[in-house]
Amino acid sequence: MTDSALRTQVGIIGAGPAGLLLAQILHLHGIDSIIIEAQSRPHIESRVRAGLMEHDSCQQMRDAGIGARMDREGLVHEGIILRFAGHSHRIPLTELTGRRVTVYGQQEVVKDLIAARLATGRPLFFEAPAIAIENTDTPKIHFRHNGTEKTILCDFIAGCDGFHGPSRASIPAHRMKIFERVYPFGWLGILAESPPASHELVYASHPGGFALLSMRSPRISRLYLQCAPDENLADWSDARIWDELDTRLADRESTPLPRGPILQKGITPLRSFVAEPMRHHRLFLLGDAAHIVPPTGAKGLNLAFADVHVLARAFTAWYQDNEADGLETYSATALRRVWQAERFAWWMTTLMHRFDNHSPFEARMQEAELDYLTSSKAGMTTIAENYVGLRLL
Ligand code: FAD
Ligand code: DHB
């Protein structure tokens, strides 16, 4: 052991929603962890990403003791709007499922989790990238911090380092099967200082492409436009973005969107991706490190939380009762839900976006499916029960 070696039970790479929630739940069960995060605290607290929390994700926040601000400030939604052919159709989520969703920005979730972590006094290193992983019977994580190299000695490694992190990359390619689909479009997303034009989220399918109206507060809108995957952000002036949103989000009654300063804009490519299995030896993958969904179903953050639910329970059984079953079945249990969410996100994406390679026949099929889904209780229920989130396994 070198001078700079640290010892813990679970070494966690990445302080996104997955790593932070896992650390918090483990702490509540008396299990020690160390978190290392490549970026600075201001960077991860200001990163604008997902915004919609499923019913059970909100309960996970409460159970972890960090639900108070979410319950005060989050916007509870009992329905969403699907808009196409100039008409709006409400899916009454709560009436159909008894469950609700909450709009609460991912960076607020991350802020709450960081505050809870710091209050425990247990280590969370920022600007501390993992540089090598030794996935042996005595696992080690090597990382850099303040110009020196340090090592974490641990029983298990939780790879919560997102899609581009080193955890998944450390697993030999022949031990892993990759499933992937890259879509021929991306999303241009903006955060704007303007009151949301609708109290409920609007998912719009339009000949010009998909658009989504969401929000962060009664004064801040979050809006998205389908765009080319290699779209140049510089080609999108603020006026062009608002004009395009007005066109695609219009229905017969709607007036132009209230415009305001655009606080942030960015382009996200759309992909579906799953790495199987989600465990190799003593390394467990969670969240975006193992899977990516296109954002149309609002599943990314929720799926990371669902992985945490399964792995935290497994670690608790291992450390409290010496019970290994949960660790052995982690990958299979988590993947079952992952594939359910992948299916829904792929289906919503296919249903709502404009595909340049669609034949006129396929375009009519899309219209007919939207018509069926919004005029049948069974159709609406299918959307609703997936959207509010399937039960945690
Ligand atoms: P992340 O949040 O990616 O966290 C991983 C962490 O690991 C990061 O903080 C990263 O800095 C850190 N890390 C990486 N490498 C290292 C290293 N070597 N050492 C230490 N730490 C490391 N989902 C939706 O549902 N709706 C959306 O609108 C939406 N928009 C998105 C926009 C973007 C640009 C991206 C990237 C994702 C978006 N998502 C969206 C998906 C959602 O945000 C993710 O599913 C969610 O963040 C997953 O959480 P995570 O903890 O698994 O990973
Ligand atoms: C948001 C993003 C999504 O992808 C989605 O489906 C719903 C809401 C959001 O950022 O608010």
Side-chain angles (χ1 to χ4, degrees), residues 51-52 103 196 201-202 212-216 220-224:
L52 192 114
V103 173
L201 272 71
V202 180
L212 168 60
L213 182 158
S214 179
M215 67 286 295
R216 288 293 177 271
I220 305 283
S221 295
R222 178 81 170 139
L223 297 142
Y224 299 92

Side-chain angles (χ1 to χ4, degrees), residues 181-185 187 203-206 209-210 226 270-272 293-297 341-358 362-370 373:
R181 165 158 303 186
V182 177
Y183 298 86
F185 40 74
W187 277 17
Y203 290 79
S205 172
H206 185 272
F210 170 78
Q226 176 184 352
L270 263 63
R271 78 168 79 222
S272 302
V293 283
T296 324
E342 290 284 350
R343 187 206 64 81
F344 180 65
W346 158 82
W347 176 73
M348 279 284 280
T349 301
T350 310
L351 179 70
M352 299 301 295
H353 286 73
R354 190 194 145 82
F355 288 75
D356 286 341
N357 61 355
H358 266 181
E362 286 164 309
R364 283 282 185 272
M365 287 298 104
Q366 209 179 27
E367 289 163 20
E369 188 166 13
L370 278 167
L373 286 165

Side-chain angles (χ1 to χ4, degrees), residues 13-19 36-39 44 47 49-50 106 128-130 160-162 165-166 224 268 286-288 295 298-301 304:
I13 308 176
I36 53 169
E37 164 57 48
Q39 301 291 342
I44 64 168
R47 225 167 18 191
R49 287 184 171 180
Q106 179 167 329
C160 305
D161 45 359
Y224 299 92
T268 313
L286 296 91
D288 281 15
K299 291 287 164 247
L301 166 67

Side-chain angles (χ1 to χ4, degrees), residues 246-319:
D246 274 338
T247 303
R248 297 193 199 172
L249 284 165
D251 74 358
R252 271 153 219 252
E253 290 94 53
S254 67
T255 49
L257 300 170
R259 298 187 179 193
I262 295 183
L263 308 172
Q264 190 267 350
K265 53 177 148 172
I267 291 178
T268 313
L270 263 63
R271 78 168 79 222
S272 302
F273 178 99
V274 181
E276 288 187 1
M278 287 169 60
R279 171 192 183 175
H280 180 57
H281 201 45
R282 286 179 175 253
L283 166 66
F284 294 83
L285 299 179
L286 296 91
D288 281 15
H291 41 72
I292 297 288
V293 283
T296 324
K299 291 287 164 247
L301 166 67
N302 296 295
L303 210 44
F305 268 28
D307 293 345
V308 171
H309 171 76
V310 180
L311 191 60
R313 184 177 57 198
F315 278 144
T316 305
W318 169 256
Y319 283 110

